[in-house]
Amino acid sequence: GTSWDSADSIVQTGFDNRMCQRGMYGAGVYFASAGCKSHQYTYAEHFHSCCGCDRERTLIIARVALGDAALATETRYHERRPPVRSNSSGTHDSIVVHPGLITGHHSQNQVHQEYMIFDREQAYPSYVVQYALKKRLCIKDMFANLAKV
């Protein structure tokens, strides 16, 4: 999720990890397979929360090439590159975080599956979706209905 202005910029120039704030797993571009996770980033006033207010929201549905992904087992707050491969030279192409226990996580538990890339050529925006929640509509139900479209 993002703002409309950021989505417009991403459509014009692509995803750019240099513009990203440092996250729990490094300074990459973050993606999620669950719409409810992306929804948390769709409105600046309610950043990181799943509010149900009726403000207009923007999501980007993207194609992402993960390549040789590293599986995260701990946080990587200050990293700017993907992890180094253990059995060969170079670094992994991306990071995948599965739900479950994560060392260093503020709640010790990762709730949603997330993906991080560090190279802008690994993703492109396929669709930009704008939506607003109706009052009293459950966020979970809204994303279930979106998946049917």
Side-chain angles (χ1 to χ4, degrees), residues 11-25:
V11 167
Q12 297 300 319
T13 63
F15 294 100
D16 189 348
N17 65 306
R18 297 172 300 178
M19 301 300 294
C20 298
Q21 297 178 5
R22 291 187 181 181
M24 195 174 297
Y25 302 102

Side-chain angles (χ1 to χ4, degrees), residues 110-148:
Q110 175 77 23
V111 177
H112 299 94
Q113 189 166 30
E114 294 183 58
Y115 313 91
M116 282 68 55
I117 61 168
F118 299 83
D119 181 344
R120 66 184 304 134
E121 303 299 324
Q122 288 178 254
Y124 70 90
S126 295
Y127 301 96
V128 176
V129 178
Q130 285 191 291
Y131 65 96
L133 300 177
K134 293 181 181 178
K135 291 185 179 181
R136 299 182 186 227
L137 177 66
C138 175
I139 293 170
K140 180 179 173 185
D141 293 340
M142 193 279 295
F143 282 106
N145 291 335
L146 181 63
K148 294 176 187 175

Side-chain angles (χ1 to χ4, degrees), residues 3-44:
S3 69
W4 175 253
D5 289 337
S6 292
D8 186 52
S9 176
I10 290 167
V11 167
Q12 297 300 319
T13 63
F15 294 100
D16 189 348
N17 65 306
R18 297 172 300 178
M19 301 300 294
C20 298
Q21 297 178 5
R22 291 187 181 181
M24 195 174 297
Y25 302 102
V29 180
Y30 285 62
F31 299 90
S33 55
C36 59
K37 177 63 178 176
S38 298
H39 176 77
Q40 295 176 10
Y41 297 88
T42 58
Y43 187 59

Side-chain angles (χ1 to χ4, degrees), residues 67-85:
D68 178 21
L71 180 62
T73 57
E74 62 187 6
T75 57
R76 308 177 71 249
Y77 283 102
H78 303 292
E79 299 295 327
R80 300 196 56 79
R81 296 173 29 147
V84 174
R85 293 183 178 111

